[in-house]
Amino acid sequence: TIVSAAIMLLLFVSEMNYYLSIEVTSELFVDTSRGEKIKIYMNVTFPKMACAILSVDTMDVAGMQQLDIKQNLMKRRLDENGNPTGDVIVQNVDLLRNRLIYIYFALFQKLDIQSNKTKCGSCYGAETAELKCCNSCEDVREAYRKKGWALTSPEGIEQCQEEGWAQMLKEQEKEGCNVFGYLEVNKVAGNFHFAPGKSFQQHRVHVHDLQSFGGRKFNTSHTIHKLSFGEEFPGIINPLDGHRISSDKDSGMYQYFIKVVPTVYKKLKGEEVKSNQYSVTKHSKHIRLNMGEQGLPGVFISYELSPMIIQYAERRKSFAHFLTGVCAIIGGVFTVASLIDSMVYHSAKMLKIELGKAS
């Protein structure tokens, strides 16, 4: 009786824990959503590439391009040991700086704004209807990018000389860069990449301007602290989180090919999280730029979306199921205990009879 009670208590506790736990069920459907966006959250560190030369671009099969992205992404300069140096670089700082320069000339140099007598720096042949004046080195670089031109000699640009652009590159030569934030892209196949130099379109080809760096070599070692395609939900695993590539070789081209699976997670209280899971394969090679080998040093992430969607749903077990389980435990243990007791009793009785006959 004591053993039976102990076994019933143990099984009852196990059944209670099972009843109180949350069960997650999964179902597979065809993804019929259209026109949605995906947020790609990232935190990537380049220990041997300065923030001044690093740019982030995206493009997709629908023809949508975002070049040298400055929205929702921030950069943090790192010293040789990987420690942060200075403040976080807000990507729209160029616009703020240009406005401050404009206000300075208007207020303190007494320039007549209405008669267009403010300072108007040359764009060195890259002027457009939208951008007629280039008052900073960044403005000239942007004007050249929009024209599809390479800025081969920044030393010959007055604005770059005034801002000490070449000196800035020299000072940051041994620095690293931490890029964090998110990208918002169309829900179609595409890619995004981290690469040195300003990017532009030339004869419908995506090109990065590396000539302004004077044959400088680029070490694209990197650590992906975080990379997710959407919000977090319980149980999600992002394969590239914590992935680290360290190499002493320069001009490395690292490619990641990602298969994204749309996922919906429904919580017990009715909250719904729309996110994505992904699997990844990778390939890498080192480019010999001086040999004319095709490719670009950097980190390239290409992604495709699955036509199927996985739906996870949290749910509790029914009380009726719990009650049935408890009754089965009590009845089962009682029945088995009775059978064992009866078998032991009859065996002992038969043994006594046999011993009596023998004596």
Side-chain angles (χ1 to χ4, degrees):
T1 302
I2 295 175
V3 172
S4 298
I7 292 174
M8 282 191 288
L9 179 61
L10 180 64
L11 293 176
F12 175 79
V13 171
S14 176
E15 184 68 19
M16 175 66 76
N17 288 334
Y18 179 71
Y19 169 69
L20 294 177
S21 64
I22 297 175
E23 183 182 12
V24 180
T25 60
S26 61
E27 295 179 284
L28 193 64
F29 301 97
V30 175
D31 188 4
T32 58
S33 61
R34 296 291 182 272
E36 294 185 351
K37 298 281 188 179
I38 297 178
K39 285 186 176 180
I40 304 174
Y41 296 90
M42 65 181 68
N43 186 346
V44 185
T45 294
F46 294 85
K48 297 182 180 180
M49 188 178 297
C51 291
I53 64 175
L54 186 64
S55 65
V56 184
D57 305 326
T58 71
M59 55 195 70
D60 60 39
V61 295
M64 181 68 179
Q65 294 190 16
Q66 301 179 63
L67 304 182
D68 195 17
I69 299 173
K70 298 180 180 179
Q71 187 176 6
N72 303 321
L73 279 183
M74 289 176 282
K75 296 178 181 178
R76 181 186 287 113
R77 291 173 57 185
L78 306 175
D79 61 20
E80 295 182 61
N81 300 317
N83 301 315
T85 171
D87 298 328
V88 174
I89 302 173
V90 181
Q91 294 294 285
N92 59 359
V93 68
D94 295 328
L95 178 61
L96 177 61
R97 181 193 61 200
N98 292 341
R99 288 180 178 176
L100 291 175
I101 292 174
Y102 185 80
I103 293 173
Y104 171 81
F105 281 111
L107 294 179
F108 297 97
Q109 300 298 324
K110 298 180 180 180
L111 298 176
D112 187 1
I113 299 176
Q114 295 181 352
S115 60
N116 294 323
K117 293 182 180 179
T118 56
K119 179 181 178 181
C120 182
S122 172
C123 294
Y124 298 86
E127 292 85 354
T128 62
E130 298 177 354
L131 186 63
K132 296 181 179 180
C133 300
C134 296
N135 294 327
S136 68
C137 184
E138 182 65 24
D139 288 345
V140 178
R141 297 179 69 201
E142 183 68 14
Y144 268 59
R145 184 186 68 78
K146 290 182 177 180
K147 281 283 189 179
W149 299 347
L151 186 62
T152 56
S153 180
E155 295 81 6
I157 305 298
E158 181 182 356
Q159 293 89 329
C160 296
Q161 291 179 350
E162 292 176 353
E163 296 176 10
W165 192 76
Q167 181 64 25
M168 177 191 65
L169 287 181
K170 187 175 181 180
E171 291 175 355
Q172 297 186 24
E173 185 175 2
K174 295 184 179 180
E175 288 188 0
C177 187
N178 174 231
V179 183
F180 61 97
Y182 69 89
L183 304 173
E184 191 168 22
V185 298
N186 295 322
K187 194 176 178 180
V188 295
N191 72 83
F192 61 95
H193 57 262
F194 307 83
K198 279 280 188 180
S199 58
F200 55 90
Q201 290 293 116
Q202 189 176 71
H203 305 299
R204 297 185 180 181
V205 178
H206 185 78
V207 180
H208 278 251
D209 178 17
L210 302 183
Q211 297 184 30
S212 57
F213 301 112
R216 180 176 177 177
K217 295 181 179 180
F218 306 97
N219 188 312
T220 52
S221 298
H222 58 279
T223 300
I224 302 176
H225 306 286
K226 185 72 178 176
L227 182 65
S228 63
F229 288 74
E231 302 290 340
E232 298 284 330
F233 62 84
I236 188 173
I237 298 176
N238 298 313
L240 285 177
D241 285 2
H243 180 68
R244 181 173 180 267
I245 293 289
S246 180
S247 175
D248 294 329
K249 296 182 180 180
D250 295 322
S251 302
M253 182 178 182
Y254 300 96
Q255 297 173 290
Y256 298 91
F257 302 95
I258 290 178
K259 190 70 172 182
V260 180
V261 181
T263 304
V264 176
Y265 191 95
K266 292 185 176 181
K267 296 186 177 180
L268 198 62
K269 296 181 179 180
E271 182 183 353
E272 189 174 274
V273 179
K274 291 186 177 181
S275 186
N276 300 275
Q277 303 177 84
Y278 67 88
S279 61
V280 60
T281 57
K282 58 183 180 179
H283 174 74
S284 63
K285 67 176 182 178
H286 291 275
I287 303 168
R288 292 171 293 181
L289 296 174
N290 56 348
M291 301 293 290
E293 189 173 347
Q294 288 187 348
L296 177 70
V299 175
F300 299 81
I301 301 176
S302 301
Y303 55 90
E304 294 182 354
L305 284 101
S306 169
M308 309 301 291
I309 183 171
I310 298 178
Q311 178 178 285
Y312 294 106
E314 295 180 347
R315 66 180 184 90
R316 290 192 182 279
K317 290 80 178 176
S318 66
F319 181 74
H321 184 276
F322 168 71
L323 193 61
T324 303
V326 172
C327 292
I329 289 171
I330 295 173
V333 172
F334 181 77
T335 301
V336 172
S338 299
L339 290 173
I340 294 175
D341 179 68
S342 177
M343 184 176 64
V344 171
Y345 172 76
H346 288 292
S347 297
K349 186 176 180 180
M350 291 180 65
L351 183 61
K352 287 181 180 180
I353 293 173
E354 292 294 331
L355 289 174
K357 288 181 178 180
S359 61

